[in-house]
Amino acid sequence: MRKNINIKSKLFPVLIAVVVCISAFFTATGKWHEIYSFFGLSENTVFVSSEGISVHFIDVGQGDCALILTPESSVLIDSGEREYSASVINYLRAQGVTKLNFIIVSHPHSDHMGGMSFIIDEFGADFIIIPRMNDSLVPTTSAFLRLLDSIEDNGTEVIWAKSGMVFELCGNSRMDILAPLKEYERFNDNSVVMRFVHDAGSFLFTGDIESESENDLANSGLDISADVLKVAHHGSLTSSTAKFLNAVGGRYAVITVGSPNPYNHPRDEVLNRLVNRNYEILRTDLHGNIIFDLSADGFIVHVQKGNDVYE
């Protein structure tokens, strides 16, 4: 009599053995990102900072979204458009985020906050930092009204951004709110400007500020220097003035931008200014997600496009 053989039961131990062998190889070589590519798993689970402190510039096309993680805090800066909300939520989950401590909405344009209401509904947030604007500039878009509803429904406390505010994130890192310095007539100039400071280096988040706010910051006497500059307004000609870039200094310029886009961002003139000041330029349209892994010795930069991860 022919016996019925359960092929699955025979193959399962073999598959386990193969997985163990492959895992051992990648662990030994330190190339864990390759095992994720090998098995087609989500690349978003790759990055775990050695000391639990990292800064992520998340690719949301022609928009802004950044994440700061410390052992005690999670901070989301902008969200991109509504269409990216699901991918941002998945990215945050993959990084182990279960609750947001701070949200910063640099300014209420949809490419910066269009998906924020969905993110708040998913994770909740203790505090949201937003700029106070002249009543004539306060938007009445559906995205902004959804955001206000989510803030109320989730009991998120609103903090109106004011220059001089300092928020401690952990023993060796903090957020300094630098701007807006006043109420501006131009919408973008009212963007929240925040400097994240850590022993390993500093990051300047600029929203969409334009030349007037940049000039005020350069003349303010505030410390606006940074190792990493989030280039204002996606590399538009209205921003990244020579005086401002000279005051910031820095090693890396991160441009959050979609490709193609109808605005020709980033503009060649801005790229030339950055190159002339010896910035290493990183772009979300070219490199995807850009991650800075911070430690006491400095930071390591990862760029992540699809399943490809590079240092």
Side-chain angles (χ1 to χ4, degrees):
M1 180 181 294
R2 181 176 299 173
K3 295 181 178 179
N4 292 325
I5 300 173
N6 189 333
I7 296 177
K8 290 182 179 180
S9 66
K10 296 289 186 180
L11 287 179
F12 188 77
V14 176
L15 290 174
I16 291 295
V18 170
V19 170
V20 170
C21 291
I22 293 174
S23 300
F25 169 76
F26 285 116
T27 301
T29 59
K31 297 180 178 179
W32 261 102
H33 58 270
E34 293 183 9
I35 197 170
Y36 283 90
S37 297
F38 183 86
F39 287 108
L41 300 178
S42 171
E43 70 278 9
N44 291 343
T45 60
V46 172
F47 298 103
V48 179
S49 172
S50 58
E51 296 190 12
I53 301 176
S54 53
V55 178
H56 306 239
F57 295 89
I58 303 170
D59 181 10
V60 289
Q62 185 68 17
D64 268 21
C65 185
L67 174 69
I68 299 172
L69 293 176
T70 79
E72 291 87 18
S73 306
S74 56
V75 182
L76 184 67
I77 306 160
D78 291 335
S79 68
E81 295 277 7
R82 174 178 180 171
E83 65 190 270
Y84 289 96
S85 59
S87 62
V88 172
I89 287 170
N90 288 337
Y91 190 95
L92 298 185
R93 284 178 182 154
Q95 303 307 317
V97 174
T98 57
K99 174 72 177 292
L100 290 165
N101 300 108
F102 291 93
I103 286 174
I104 297 176
V105 170
S106 65
H107 64 295
H109 271 156
S110 63
D111 60 324
H112 290 254
M113 47 63 67
M116 193 64 82
S117 62
F118 303 98
I119 294 168
I120 293 176
D121 289 342
E122 181 69 27
F123 296 101
D126 295 323
F127 303 97
I128 184 166
I129 302 171
I130 57 178
R132 188 186 293 276
M133 294 185 176
N134 185 290
D135 288 345
S136 64
L137 294 179
V138 175
T140 57
T141 61
S142 59
F144 187 62
L145 295 177
R146 279 198 313 270
L147 175 60
L148 296 179
D149 287 340
S150 292
I151 290 171
E152 182 177 1
D153 292 344
N154 289 278
T156 301
E157 183 176 341
V158 175
I159 298 175
W160 300 108
K162 185 176 180 180
S163 181
M165 289 179 168
V166 177
F167 299 90
E168 299 289 341
L169 298 182
C170 63
N172 57 352
S173 66
R174 69 178 192 273
M175 296 190 301
D176 296 338
I177 304 299
L178 305 179
L181 292 168
K182 63 184 183 183
E183 288 188 3
Y184 292 91
E185 292 183 3
R186 293 181 64 83
F187 196 92
N188 287 338
D189 275 323
N190 288 284
S191 294
V192 176
V193 176
M194 187 272 285
R195 184 171 180 258
F196 172 63
V197 183
H198 179 266
D199 291 346
S202 52
F203 296 73
L204 191 66
F205 297 88
T206 56
D208 276 357
I209 60 171
E210 300 183 359
S211 57
E212 184 179 359
S213 182
E214 285 188 346
N215 188 62
D216 287 345
L217 280 166
N219 292 330
S220 67
L222 296 170
D223 186 358
I224 64 172
S225 64
D227 296 293
V228 181
L229 168 66
K230 200 292 293 185
V231 174
H233 203 185
H234 319 288
S236 166
L237 272 180
T238 60
S239 311
S240 300
T241 58
K243 183 175 183 178
F244 182 71
L245 294 179
N246 288 339
V248 174
R251 298 163 53 192
Y252 295 93
V254 176
I255 303 177
T256 52
V257 65
S259 181
N261 65 78
Y263 314 104
N264 294 319
H265 294 161
R267 297 297 294 266
D268 288 341
E269 295 89 335
V270 171
L271 294 174
N272 289 336
R273 288 177 211 153
L274 296 171
V275 169
N276 290 339
R277 286 161 181 80
N278 298 314
Y279 278 99
E280 181 174 342
I281 300 171
L282 299 169
R283 297 169 47 168
T284 54
D285 62 330
L286 300 179
H287 301 110
N289 302 320
I290 301 161
I291 302 98
F292 293 81
D293 183 3
L294 283 64
S295 72
D297 299 323
F299 51 73
I300 299 172
V301 185
H302 304 275
V303 295
Q304 176 189 31
K305 189 76 168 175
N307 283 329
D308 296 322
V309 183
Y310 307 94
E311 290 186 5

